[in-house]
């Protein structure tokens, strides 16, 4: 059991066994010399000379020990902790720099994990979960899937374990004078079983509860709704909750921590797909193959690849295209990994998370360069210690291990602090992201074992980045030269200065790239605020009025809308008012339908499709969308008159090719409509969208009781809101408007990705610049300190304070100039990758590059000023004498 004794000895706080053995050999040799006639003192000295260095013997003895690394690490760690404790300023600064770098990386990793890779807490086997979306040949983007198509895909697929259908929806909850939306989801009956999330109380949905027309008014509520609205009542099962005007029986409560399967929203309830008409203003879609509304997922069978599943789904979609050419011509099916899910917040946050990852890696590199410079300075201060250790027999490898151990301890402390920072920043994206439709969005980070493993790997890589070079350079001490002269540099002044200057160049170049990126995105946001989306953003307010949830039938809702329009129109300061099914740039989806156009022959393998909005009289005028030709809708365009439509310029150009479409016909979902006007093309969803065909139909001819309300007025929301609530309550005290905001705010809420990216770049770009300035300051301060004799000699030969100031500043600014040149070259290439985030700004915008140059030059000058001032205060006599 000798190995066990050696292992126990590796953890022992003493080395008494080795000391006893060394003492035994020295005593035996001393006795031998005494017997030969030497005195006791002479014999001891001769024995020590013959034996050699006891420290070296100890090192060599431990080198052959199987468990020597444990002993070495224990000694190195203890020594490293003592050294760090003796230099608190160095230790705190190094740990702080690394904490910021590692913490920022861990935070972004947690965002990527919680939003892109495994976004649904408690859902099992998310690696086998893929999003399903429809495609339209000849058109860009993706679309939803119809319920009949979904069922056919499920029946004809053999490689799919589960088909999980869902559609985001919501219900209106009136709270005082304002209505709030509670997000929810319509799902297939297998939903909770397929995702592996059993309810905390009760059950999920049973087979067959997703079929029929409003046949199963049951619901599973969230844990949060159970706590907030039912106060955690264990007898909640069997009670009812009014959802969209209809009582639903509560059959289950979801577990705590489950928020649904839609990134960005924390669902409050789930209902079976059979309740679709109740949550879609009475329009029944479960038997309509042309009504595309399902946003769902598939779980692949174990061992099945996405390529295999895609091939099978495409084959089924092709058969459906042949069997149902009227609705499925040109239609396909595509699978997406969760991080590319096209119908939720994952897609919108992907650009911001990509920018975040690049930024925090750059910050980590800058932090490592900073700590590397600090370690070089500290190693120079420990020259005498290292020289003595080498002179008494310590190997160069032991010095490298010692210094790397110090780096490991630094990164361990920083990694722990970094995880605290990451946990603090977990919900930062939600804070930076404005609400949509009055609902606060949820973008949490997830710190699980995977994030911990990646963070630990970052700590290890960081240690190698900032610790290896100083350790290797330290091991190359010129022992003879160091013993001859205390003033000699640790690794030779020129070599060490080159390494430190290189690290500063890296810091400056990375900081320059980040500052350019921040400048580009700041200009993008400014361009967004100054650009016109094709409708008025100033002087127009928008809100919502949900009469369907309030239990209104069609005729009663129409009467209410007419009376409310007249009342609001009569308010002082109101220019015009209009209803629409949805407002531009809102979170809901526009209606979409296959179309046919008189005189336009579509390719045989394509089915033209266009989105449209149901709007009331005066909508275009209220929104400030100009008419190019024809007329707008009036109250006379109702259910008793021929169907009419207004198309936008993009649709007119695509299907009529320069001819005037007014008076022509377009078929929408099998119904012919006459075109009575052409409107200027506007943006409908966001500012970066590609123009696609769009048209308007009268709200009275395609009625919806759930509508948006647009008000043109010079007054702000705070001034109009009380009068609006008063007029609505005068008609029905149980109806309340939703959030009232300006169209400017509506537009800016869709720029969340740019906002998040700007904030991250500005914050971390500023942090990177600060770290780079600290690194430059450290280099210049060390240079001035080491060049004291040179500066004194210059002063003795007649150089003035201004000459020294200029000399030191020129060296620092030369390093900065080198970093700017490298950074500019890198930025010219890297900023092209930001094109999808930019709006009306060139990736090579000279203002962004010029601003970054000015900022980094000012920061560099400030960092060099103090060392330069200290150089002018050098005492020539003391420096030359020392």
């Amino acid at each position: 059991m000798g190995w066990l004794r050696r292992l126990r000895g590796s953890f022992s706080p003493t080395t008494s066994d080795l000391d006893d053995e060394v003492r035994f050999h020295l005593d035996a040799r001393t006795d031998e010399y005494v017997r030969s006639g030497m005195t006791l003192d002479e014999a001891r000295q001769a024995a020590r000379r013959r034996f050699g260095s006891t420290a070296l013997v100890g090192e060599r003895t431990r080198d052959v020990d199987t468990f020597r690394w444990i002993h070495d690490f224990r000694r190195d760690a203890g020594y490293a902790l003592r050294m760090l404790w003796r230099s608190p300023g160095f230790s705190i600064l190094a740990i702080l720099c690394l904490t910021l770098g590692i913490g920022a990386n861990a935070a972004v990793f947690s965002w990527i994990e919680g939003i892109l890779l495994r976004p649904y807490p408690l859902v099992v086997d998310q690696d086998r979960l893929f999003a399903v979306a429809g495609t339209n040949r000849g058109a860009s983007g993706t679309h939803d899937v119809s319920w009949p198509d979904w069922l056919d895909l499920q029946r004809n697929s053999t490689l799919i374990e589960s088909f999980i259908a869902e559609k985001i929806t919501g219900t209106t909850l009136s709270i005082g004078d304002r209505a709030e939306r509670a997000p929810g989801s319509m799902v297939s009956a297998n939903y909770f079983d397929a995702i592996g999330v059993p309810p905390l109380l009760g059950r999920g949905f049973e087979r067959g509860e997703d079929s029929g027309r409003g046949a199963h008014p049951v619901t599973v509520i969230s844990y949060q709704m159970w706590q907030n609205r039912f106060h955690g009542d264990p007898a909640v099962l069997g009670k009812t909750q009014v959802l969209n005007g209809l009582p639903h029986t509560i059959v289950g409560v979801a577990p705590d921590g489950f928020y649904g399967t839609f990134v960005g929203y924390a669902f409050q309830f789930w209902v079976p797909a059979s309740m679709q008409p109740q949550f879609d203003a009475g329009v029944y879609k479960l038997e309509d193959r042309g009504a595309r509304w399902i946003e769902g997922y598939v779980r692949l069978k174990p061992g099945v690849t996405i390529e295999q599943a895609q091939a099978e789904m495409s084959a089924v979609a092709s058969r459906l295209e042949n069997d149902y050419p009227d609705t499925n011509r040109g239609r396909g099916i595509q699978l997406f990994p969760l991080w590319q899910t096209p119908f939720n917040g994952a897609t919108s946050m992907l650009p911001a998370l990509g920018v975040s990852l690049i930024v925090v890696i750059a910050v980590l590199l800058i932090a490592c360069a900073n700590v590397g410079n600090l370690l070089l300075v500290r190693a120079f201060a420990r020259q005498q210690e290292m020289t003595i250790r080498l002179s008494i027999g310590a190997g160069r490898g032991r010095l490298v291990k010692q210094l790397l151990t110090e780096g490991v301890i630094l990164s361990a402390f920083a990694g722990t602090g970094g995880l605290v920072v990451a946990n603090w920043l977990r919900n930062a994206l939600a804070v930076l992201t404005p609400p949509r439709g009055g609902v606060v969005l949820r973008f949490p980070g997830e710190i699980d074992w995977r994030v911990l493993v990646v963070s630990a790997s970052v700590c290890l890589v960081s240690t190698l980045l900032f610790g290896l070079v100083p350790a290797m350079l330290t091991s190359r001490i010129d022992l003879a030269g160091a013993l001859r002269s205390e003033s000699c540099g640790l690794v030779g002044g020129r070599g060490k200065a080159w390494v430190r200057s290189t690290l500063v160049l890296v810091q400056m170049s990375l900081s320059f790239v980040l500052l350019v990126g921040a400048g580009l995105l700041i200009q993008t946001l400014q361009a967004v605020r100054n650009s016109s989306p094709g409708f008025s953003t100033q002087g127009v307010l928008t809100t919502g009025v949900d009469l369907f949830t309030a239990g209104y039938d069609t005729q009663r809702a129409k009467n209410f809308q007419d009376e409310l329009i007249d009342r609001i129109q009569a308010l002082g300061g109101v220019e015009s008012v209009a209803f629409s099914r949805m407002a531009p740039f809102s979170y809901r989806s526009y209606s979409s339908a296959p179309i046919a156009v008189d005189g336009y022959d579509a390719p045989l393998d394509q089915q033209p499709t266009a989105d449209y909005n149901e709007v009331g009289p005066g909508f275009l005028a209220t929104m400030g969308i100009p008419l190019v030709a024809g007329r707008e809708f009036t109250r006379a365009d109702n259910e008793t008159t021929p169907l009419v439509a207004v198309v936008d310029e993009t649709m007119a150009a695509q299907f009529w090719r320069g001819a005037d479409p007014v008076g022509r016909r377009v078929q929408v979902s099998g119904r012919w409509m006459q075109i009575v006007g052409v409107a200027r093309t506007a943006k409908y969803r966001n500012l970066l969208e590609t123009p696609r065909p769009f048209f308007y139909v009268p709200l009275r001819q395609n009625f919806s009781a759930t509508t948006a309300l647009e008000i043109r007025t010079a007054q702000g929301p705070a001034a109009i809101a009380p009068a609006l609530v008063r007029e609505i309550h005068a008609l029905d005290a149980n109806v309340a408007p939703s959030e009232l905001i300006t169209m400017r705010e509506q537009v800016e809420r869709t720029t969340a990705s740019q906002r998040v990216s700007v904030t991250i770049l500005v914050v971390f770009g500023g942090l990177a610049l600060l770290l780079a300035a600290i690194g430059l300051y450290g280099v210049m301060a060390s240079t001035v300190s080491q060049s004291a004799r040179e500066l004194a000699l210059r002063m003795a030969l007649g150089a003035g304070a201004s000459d020294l100031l200029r000399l030191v500043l020129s060296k620092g600014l030369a390093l900065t100039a080198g970093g700017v040149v490298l950074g500019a070259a890198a930025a010219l290439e890297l900023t092209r990758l930001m094109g999808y985030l930019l709006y009306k700004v060139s990736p090579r915008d000279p203002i962004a590059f010029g601003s970054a140059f000015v900022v980094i030059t000012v920061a560099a000058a400030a960092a060099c000023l103090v060392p330069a001032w200290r150089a002018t205060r050098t005492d020539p006599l003391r420096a030359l004498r020392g």
Side-chain angles (χ1 to χ4, degrees), residues 131-142:
V132 183
T135 60
N136 190 5
R137 192 178 300 119
S140 61
T142 59

Side-chain angles (χ1 to χ4, degrees), residues 140-162:
S140 61
T142 59
H143 308 276
D144 296 339
V145 181
S146 70
W147 183 256
D149 282 351
W150 187 265
L151 296 181
D152 283 334
L153 289 168
Q154 185 173 353
R155 283 190 288 263
N156 292 282
S157 298
T158 61
L159 302 178
I160 307 299
E161 183 178 287
S162 303

Side-chain angles (χ1 to χ4, degrees), residues 90 93-95 97-98 364-380 403 407 410 462-474 490 496 499-504 507 771 774-775 778-779 782:
F90 160 80
L93 183 57
I95 291 173
C97 290
L98 288 175
L364 179 63
L365 291 175
I366 292 173
C368 290
N370 229 359
V371 176
N373 264 332
L374 289 172
L375 285 175
L376 278 174
V377 172
R378 191 162 178 269
F380 179 74
L403 294 175
L410 280 176
S462 301
T463 301
L464 295 177
L465 284 175
F466 70 75
L468 190 58
V469 172
M472 294 299 294
L473 291 176
T474 300
L490 180 63
K496 185 184 63 173
V499 173
R500 297 194 63 197
S501 298
T502 300
L503 293 177
V504 171
Q507 290 177 294
L771 292 176
I774 291 173
V779 168
S782 177

Side-chain angles (χ1 to χ4, degrees), residues 382 386 398-408 470-471 474:
R382 294 170 62 183
M386 298 301 174
R398 287 290 291 116
L399 294 185
V400 173
K401 285 198 296 183
Q402 171 65 54
L403 294 175
L404 280 179
T405 301
E406 294 182 17
V408 168
T474 300

